[in-house]
Amino acid sequence: MTLDPNPIYAAPEDWRAYSGVLSRRVFAFLIDYLIVAALWVPAAVLVFFIGVLTLGLGFLLYPILFFIVAGLYFGLSLSGPSQATPGMRAMGIAMVRLDGRRIDFVTAIAHLALFWILNSILTPLILLAGLFIERSRLVHDLLLGTATVRTA
């Protein structure tokens, strides 16, 4: 089975495109959050200098800095041409919308926000939904009309 590394933006009907996606998503999550953590360090240094230049006002960014870095990382990478974060590309998966349109920046941010909210409420139990819902979709995928497909 060969799947196009640059998937069409519509979700394929072939069941093989969704085979093993859930475990790949878990590993992609780990890779992506390691990258976000690595990006957070230079952002924290930058905020330090902004704080000094603004006489302490910039230090107010520290409590939300992780959310800013993660939001930009996921928003820019999911709305990019590959429709996948670097972790997702490493695991051979991409995100598509069921209506066939590209994932835009706002949808990518909404996907991330819903993931954080639902994960804080349901803990890792949201992964169990992927075992029972068609196309191995998670709850936030259902709410936004997205799916994750294999590219390799």
Side-chain angles (χ1 to χ4, degrees), residues 14-68:
D14 189 3
W15 64 270
R16 294 174 294 180
Y18 307 100
S19 174
V21 165
L22 198 56
S23 59
R24 290 172 184 239
R25 282 181 88 162
V26 171
F27 289 113
F29 169 83
L30 295 174
I31 293 169
D32 285 330
Y33 274 93
L34 284 174
I35 295 171
V36 168
L39 291 173
W40 182 85
V41 174
V45 172
L46 180 66
V47 166
F48 173 77
F49 289 114
I50 291 172
V52 169
L53 290 174
T54 60
L55 303 174
L57 192 58
F59 294 132
L60 295 174
L61 289 173
Y62 274 122
I64 60 169
L65 186 60
F66 180 80
F67 301 109
I68 293 171

Side-chain angles (χ1 to χ4, degrees), residues 57-125:
L57 192 58
F59 294 132
L60 295 174
L61 289 173
Y62 274 122
I64 60 169
L65 186 60
F66 180 80
F67 301 109
I68 293 171
V69 171
L72 287 173
Y73 173 80
F74 284 98
L76 292 173
S77 58
L78 278 178
S79 64
S82 65
Q83 301 281 254
T85 63
M88 292 170 75
R89 285 194 303 261
M91 291 290 102
I93 55 177
M95 189 163 293
V96 295
R97 288 176 57 158
L98 297 181
D99 60 6
R101 295 184 298 165
R102 289 179 49 92
I103 294 178
D104 57 347
F105 185 81
V106 174
T107 304
I109 294 295
H111 194 272
L112 179 64
L114 280 173
F115 170 75
W116 281 340
I117 291 167
L118 291 171
N119 199 27
S120 67
I121 294 170
L122 301 173
T123 62
L125 294 176

